[in-house]
Structure formats: C-alpha cells, structure tokens
Amino acid sequence: MMKRWNVGKRLLPLFAGMVLLLSACGRADLSTLNPQGPVAQEQFDLMKLAIAIMIIVVIVVFAISLYVIVRFRRRPGDNKIPVQVEGNHKLEIIWTVIPLIMLVILGVPTVNSVFGLAKDYTKDKDAVQVEVTSHQFWWEFYYPEYDIHTAQELVIPTGKKISIKAKSADVTHAFWIPSLAGKIDTNAGAADADGTANTNIMYFEAPKAGVYLGKCAELCGPSHALMDFKVKAVDSASFERWTTAQKAPVALPSDPAIKDALVKNCLSCHAIGDQGGLSFPNLSDIGSKMTVAGILVNTDHKQYGNEGTTEENLKRWIKDPQEVKPGALMPKVDLTEQELDGIAKYLAGLKIDYEK
C-alpha cells in the first residue's frame, strides 16, 4: 500500500503540471465555451445546467460521506452493532425522489433542446440553403438558390438561419463550427430512392459579422488535423454583392504562356469563373480568401510557421501539396519556375471586393 502511495505522490506533480500546460492550449474561436450564436448558446446553457447538477450531486454525496465517516466511525471499545436503517420508508422515499427531481430538471430542457435544434429548415424560404460536401481534405459549399460553388470559406449573411445539408464524397468526416453550433457527421453513401445522397441536416445563425473557425471533427486520414475552414459572416448587402460577383466572368491571364499552363494544368479540375471543372475547389476568388488550402494563412505577419502572403502560399501549395497536406489528392504539377510564379501571381489577384 505504501509503495502505491509513494508512486502516487511522484505522479501527482506531473499530472498537475500537465493540466496547467494543457489548459493554455487551444484557441478562443475554437471552443464550445465561447458561444457566438443562438444555437451554440443554447448548447452551452444546457452544458452548464448538466455540470451544475453534477457538481451539486458530488458536493452533497461527499459531504454526507464525510459526515457519516466522522459521526459514525467505530470508536475504541465500542462493539455495538449500529442502528440499522433498512426499511426506513422516509429515507427510501427521499433518496428516490431527489434523483427523480434532478433528472426532470435536466431532462426537460435537454429534450426541448434536442428536438428544437433538430428543426428542419431545408424547406424554409427565409433560410440560406447550403449543401456541404466534405473531401479529403477540404470542404465544398454549394448554394443551390444562387447556383454558386465555393470552397474552404462559407460566406453567410448575419441574422439569418443557415440550413446545412451535409454529406461526404469519400470517408466519414464531421462538420463543426464550435462557436456557432455543434457538430454533425458527413457520411458517404449511395443515392437514396428519391435521388438524394446520404445527408445529415443542421442549422445555425451568426448574429454579428465576423470570422468563425470550423474544423473536421472526425479522424479521416493523415491530414485530418489540417482540414480547417472558415465561416465568414457579413451583412446582407455584402452577401448580395458576393453572390453577384461570384457569377461574373473572370478573365484568364494575358500572358499566353501562363494562360496555356493554367488551362492545361489547372482548369481540368478547378473552375475559374465560367471556365474549367468543379471536381476540386473553385478558384474564382481565391485571392480574397484568408487561407490557401484552408491551412496556409495569408498574411505578412510572421507569427506562425505556416504564414505568408497569398502569392507565397499559393506557390508553396502548387509546388508540393503533399508537403502541406499529406494524403491530399492534388498531385505535383510539372511547372517551370516562370509558370509557377505567373500562375501564383494571377491566382493571388483573383479577388472579390464585396465588403463595404
């Protein structure tokens, strides 16, 4: 017994240090404890209620246990059998009714939230409809009302319900925006009888403008941890300008050599304006996005190792996608330095100015 206690004393400082160290990890915008929307707030309130009830139970049980241990401990020379409480109807009723009351206090709001947050807005004309498709290792967003395909940044208007229909193009992923809503799985599967894919639905709302970080919350491959996306909430007027600009034609590079390299190596998979394919992310406004490949942050401030300008990040990504995201399906492209520089510079200039 003493050996176990000595081992425990040695491990306790280690565990305490790990707790303090891990408590400093994470980001404020990637926490369910910092709700920024009504759905996340309701989920957070439910979490606080459940934790409060558990804390009360723990305190009461420990207090009663401590009292009983001290008050009814066996004293030296006392060999009497303690008073038995078996068959005490009053006590049995008390410790049966109290847990039932606590279950009701927790159960009623839980059931109310579960059914309320499962409301289907896919037919609501006032909600913005978005079809989310997860890929290894990027996110595709399709707005059926506007016939717009985009990737990695989900642009939404503030103050409106955002109805999500989520599915997967390959393995199971999980769509998660911690500060706005809980997570749902995106499942792969054959089409159903009505022609729709194996989808899950959810909704959320962003009451104020801002950028909210989203992640894949289901282990899906070697770059699972790098499968980030952004939700960008803007005012209604900016959102309308964005939808209009997304449909505008986009001119290809004026340099014939760069244009030929772009068409040959990029437009077979990617779309730019009304040209190219949609098998992989739409590049029409890639210069406006906050990141390249969802993980390389576009900025001049060298705070983190994965930061650089949009052009620098594009060159890094195009030159060796596997170095940035192991397991990504984008292959290395055989380009000369001049072609790589020209394509990166052209793509970095594809910007949409829709925020006023």
Side-chain angles (χ1 to χ4, degrees), residues 1-125:
M1 184 67 181
M2 284 301 296
K3 288 183 178 179
R4 292 181 182 176
W5 171 242
N6 289 333
V7 171
K9 285 196 299 183
R10 292 174 182 174
L11 291 177
L12 189 60
L14 176 62
F15 288 143
M18 289 177 63
V19 169
L20 290 173
L21 178 65
L22 293 174
S23 66
C25 297
R27 304 171 45 135
D29 60 350
L30 193 60
S31 173
T32 55
L33 304 181
N34 184 31
Q36 299 295 309
V39 173
Q41 185 64 56
E42 184 172 344
Q43 293 169 337
F44 183 57
D45 292 341
L46 191 61
M47 186 194 311
K48 289 192 295 183
L49 175 63
I51 292 173
I53 290 176
M54 287 187 286
I55 290 174
I56 291 171
V57 169
V58 168
I59 290 174
V60 171
V61 169
F62 271 75
I64 293 175
S65 299
L66 184 62
Y67 171 77
V68 170
I69 290 171
V70 174
R71 175 69 177 79
F72 298 104
R73 71 187 185 278
R74 185 181 293 277
R75 292 171 173 80
D78 184 3
N79 297 318
K80 293 185 298 183
I81 297 176
V83 177
Q84 303 299 297
V85 296
E86 181 182 359
N88 188 318
H89 296 306
K90 184 184 292 185
L91 279 177
E92 290 177 353
I93 291 172
I94 288 173
W95 62 49
T96 300
V97 170
I98 290 178
L100 288 175
I101 292 174
M102 301 189 81
L103 283 174
V104 170
I105 293 173
L106 179 60
V108 170
T110 298
V111 171
N112 184 60
S113 290
V114 166
F115 284 94
L117 296 179
K119 188 174 180 180
D120 186 355
Y121 283 93
T122 57
K123 301 293 191 298
D124 190 329
K125 294 182 179 179

Side-chain angles (χ1 to χ4, degrees), residues 54 70 83 138 183 238 283 330:
M54 287 187 286
V70 174
V83 177
W138 61 282
K183 65 188 76 169
S238 295
L283 305 179
M330 180 167 167

Side-chain angles (χ1 to χ4, degrees), residues 67-276:
Y67 171 77
V68 170
I69 290 171
V70 174
R71 175 69 177 79
F72 298 104
R73 71 187 185 278
R74 185 181 293 277
R75 292 171 173 80
D78 184 3
N79 297 318
K80 293 185 298 183
I81 297 176
V83 177
Q84 303 299 297
V85 296
E86 181 182 359
N88 188 318
H89 296 306
K90 184 184 292 185
L91 279 177
E92 290 177 353
I93 291 172
I94 288 173
W95 62 49
T96 300
V97 170
I98 290 178
L100 288 175
I101 292 174
M102 301 189 81
L103 283 174
V104 170
I105 293 173
L106 179 60
V108 170
T110 298
V111 171
N112 184 60
S113 290
V114 166
F115 284 94
L117 296 179
K119 188 174 180 180
D120 186 355
Y121 283 93
T122 57
K123 301 293 191 298
D124 190 329
K125 294 182 179 179
D126 294 326
V128 176
Q129 305 296 325
V130 181
E131 296 177 7
V132 176
T133 305
S134 56
H135 303 259
Q136 288 180 310
F137 300 94
W138 61 282
W139 296 91
E140 178 184 359
F141 306 117
Y142 175 59
Y143 301 73
E145 180 183 353
Y146 304 96
D147 192 27
I148 290 174
H149 288 266
T150 185
Q152 299 302 93
E153 279 192 13
L154 177 60
V155 179
I156 62 171
T158 55
K160 295 196 73 172
K161 294 284 191 303
I162 311 301
S163 174
I164 299 292
K165 290 177 68 175
K167 62 181 180 179
S168 173
D170 36 59
V171 301
T172 299
H173 303 269
F175 181 78
W176 186 34
I177 317 161
S179 58
L180 293 180
K183 65 188 76 169
I184 57 169
D185 283 347
T186 62
N187 302 315
D192 300 327
D194 61 357
T196 61
N198 181 15
T199 60
N200 286 326
I201 63 171
M202 68 178 291
Y203 76 91
F204 61 88
E205 182 180 340
K208 59 183 180 181
V211 178
Y212 307 91
L213 182 61
K215 290 189 76 71
C216 175
E218 181 75 28
L219 183 59
C220 57
S223 287
H224 157 69
L226 306 177
M227 195 170 163
D228 292 5
F229 65 95
K230 301 289 191 300
V231 175
K232 193 171 186 179
V234 298
D235 60 79
S236 297
S238 295
F239 180 73
E240 290 302 321
R241 285 192 290 270
W242 178 79
T243 58
T244 301
Q246 283 286 339
K247 291 181 168 293
V250 179
L252 294 181
S254 56
D255 186 322
I258 302 301
K259 177 180 178 181
D260 183 64
L262 178 78
V263 172
K264 177 183 176 182
N265 295 287
C266 303
L267 294 191
S268 57
C269 296
H270 300 276
I272 296 179
D274 58 350
Q275 304 177 71

